[in-house]
Amino acid sequence: MSKLIDRFGRTHDYLRISVTDQCNLRCVYCMPEEGLEFLPHDSMLTAEEIAKIVRVGARLGIRKIRITGGEPLVRRDIVDIVEGVASIPGIEDVSLTTNGLLLAGKAEALRRAGLRRVNISLDTLDASKFRLIARRGELRKVREGIEAAAAAGFSPIKLNCVLLKGMNDGEIDSFLRLSYEQPLHVRFIEYMPIGHDDEGWRSMYLPLDRVREAAAALPWETEQVPDVKGNGPSEDWRFVGGRGSYGLIHPISDQFCAKCNRLRLTADGQLKPCLYWVDELNLRHAVDDEEELERLFYRALDIKPENHEMAARLSREALSHEPTARRMSQIGG
Ligand code: SAM
Ligand code: SF4
């Protein structure tokens, strides 16, 4: 039974851990092309420090871990990190989100280390558009990563697709068809204004109603899927007779904060109660003091706000307090 219950009665059993703010891509919605300062190497949590924090979290009721970043696979010790976390008593599920570029070379070792599920980010099925959105890298490598994940036995394999007006909204249909033809779980995600210039975000933000409309126009019947194994706020559907499914993650058009079960740990050891707001607590300085770590976990719940206000930002209303200045790559999406 989790002891991590906040002021609004929400139980927290899920910790998302960013293991680096570095990345081998520069996706337009996540990072600027240049000019972002990276954390000095010695300010990042080591594999051992991450395990210490998770051990305390597990005692308090954390059961599920997602490793993310930045790009988690650029960390040379990523297999050790996964192994360290997966072997902690109480941790029942370890998953990872990656852009897939380096996955082909690491899938087997990650699986052996205790990783069970992967989410691979894929916003386009078109190689030239990939370069426009991700600014670097090659779609071919991501495809190889997806194949390697399937060959290594990861299940389910989810594809994260952030919808961007004028960029990939013409591909909704192709992604939906992919979820029919392949055992892949495509999750459409609304573009969020995390550490962003607002006008750029407003001009590319697209509500996920467009996905519902596109699905209705396809020749297959749809049915809701109760739970495509996961820990999140995704509303999951599939086409009857299809091999995969598709999910909608709509933090802005249909907020899901009432069911929030997650805390976030940044690569430099800040515990964030909410993705959106500025508040964070430094766990790194307390990493050898279990009592203090416990206190900080409870404190994070005490200060966790009821919701984010991204919809208010879309309609230019005043916000109740200060949003984070970190970009998504610096928090861990
Ligand atoms: N580099 C890895 C990857 O791309 O999968 C893991 C880190 S990335 C920050 C995690 C997820 O956050 C990705 O699926 C990415 O598409 C998503 N993401 C990043 N910025 C976002 C934004 N502004 N709005 C919505 N999702 C975003
Ligand atoms: Fe890197 Fe992932 Fe952000 Fe893209 S979404 S820039 S791959 S951290």
Side-chain angles (χ1 to χ4, degrees):
M1 184 64 192
S2 180
K3 297 181 188 156
L4 297 172
I5 300 171
D6 75 358
R7 295 175 290 154
F8 305 99
R10 296 173 295 195
T11 299
H12 293 69
D13 61 357
Y14 180 26
L15 180 65
R16 294 175 69 98
I17 303 174
S18 170
V19 296
T20 179
D21 61 337
Q22 306 257 356
C23 189
N24 44 4
L25 296 181
R26 293 287 182 275
C27 302
V28 288
Y29 48 76
C30 180
M31 279 172 105
E33 186 154 23
E34 47 197 30
L36 197 64
E37 275 189 35
F38 294 105
L39 291 170
H41 191 69
D42 61 3
S43 72
M44 284 205 248
L45 294 174
T46 62
E48 204 180 313
E49 287 171 335
I50 291 171
K52 281 183 184 171
I53 291 171
V54 172
R55 206 164 290 125
V56 171
R59 270 211 313 264
L60 300 180
I62 296 293
R63 296 287 167 262
K64 297 172 273 194
I65 300 288
R66 176 167 295 274
I67 308 284
T68 177
E71 173 48 41
L73 302 191
V74 303
R75 254 192 86 153
R76 291 210 184 94
D77 57 352
I78 187 64
V79 174
D80 298 336
I81 294 175
V82 168
E83 199 162 23
V85 165
S87 61
I88 291 172
I91 297 302
E92 295 163 2
D93 181 46
V94 183
S95 58
L96 177 137
T97 303
T98 172
N99 61 31
L101 288 186
L102 300 172
L103 190 55
K106 299 193 183 194
E108 285 283 354
L110 288 166
R111 176 110 176 116
R112 277 198 302 275
L115 191 70
R116 288 290 163 265
R117 301 184 295 115
V118 283
N119 285 25
I120 301 168
S121 297
L122 184 61
D123 305 312
T124 176
L125 301 168
D126 176 299
S128 53
K129 228 180 257 174
F130 184 88
R131 287 295 285 213
L132 278 181
I133 296 176
R135 297 196 184 108
R136 297 184 182 180
E138 278 179 76
L139 177 61
R140 182 178 56 84
K141 289 270 169 210
V142 184
R143 287 190 185 274
E144 285 170 17
I146 296 171
E147 280 162 25
F154 287 108
S155 174
I157 297 174
K158 295 184 183 175
L159 302 182
N160 286 2
C161 174
V162 178
L163 269 197
L164 303 166
K165 195 194 291 172
M167 283 261 199
N168 62 358
D169 44 340
E171 292 187 70
I172 297 174
D173 207 72
S174 311
F175 274 106
L176 287 171
R177 286 175 187 277
L178 187 69
S179 82
Y180 181 82
E181 286 155 11
Q182 300 290 331
L184 294 169
H185 304 275
V186 178
R187 293 153 27 114
F188 296 96
I189 303 174
E190 282 180 350
Y191 180 16
M192 292 181 271
I194 306 296
H196 260 63
D197 113 65
D198 276 9
E199 290 316 318
W201 165 62
R202 280 195 195 99
S203 67
M204 287 212 298
Y205 166 76
L206 202 66
L208 294 190
D209 300 350
R210 292 286 296 276
V211 176
R212 291 196 186 90
E213 289 160 19
L218 285 169
W220 309 298
E221 244 181 80
T222 56
E223 63 184 5
Q224 197 150 13
V225 189
D227 179 28
V228 180
K229 189 164 171 44
N231 307 313
S234 174
E235 175 200 326
D236 294 313
W237 295 83
R238 76 175 152 229
F239 295 112
V240 176
R243 299 178 72 195
S245 69
Y246 63 95
L248 313 181
I249 303 185
H250 33 53
I252 298 158
S253 64
D254 189 2
Q255 201 190 93
F256 39 65
C257 300
K259 291 192 212 143
C260 187
N261 61 348
R262 60 195 54 196
L263 293 166
R264 292 182 152 84
L265 181 64
T266 66
D268 53 345
Q270 301 288 334
L271 187 62
K272 281 185 72 62
C274 175
L275 171 69
Y276 187 62
W277 300 112
V278 71
D279 318 271
E280 40 191 55
L281 298 162
N282 186 344
L283 300 196
R284 192 164 162 257
H285 82 271
V287 81
D288 291 315
D289 180 345
E290 294 199 349
E291 265 180 39
E292 178 63 2
L293 283 179
E294 277 198 15
R295 196 189 69 74
L296 289 167
F297 267 102
Y298 287 130
R299 176 86 192 121
L301 295 172
D302 284 347
I303 64 170
K304 179 159 175 148
E306 188 168 14
N307 50 38
H308 65 67
E309 293 170 18
M310 295 190 229
R313 195 153 170 183
L314 189 62
S315 53
R316 297 186 169 81
E317 288 161 48
L319 301 183
S320 66
H321 74 293
E322 197 185 336
T324 183
R326 288 181 186 257
R327 298 297 301 253
M328 196 69 122
S329 60
Q330 298 168 312
I331 301 172

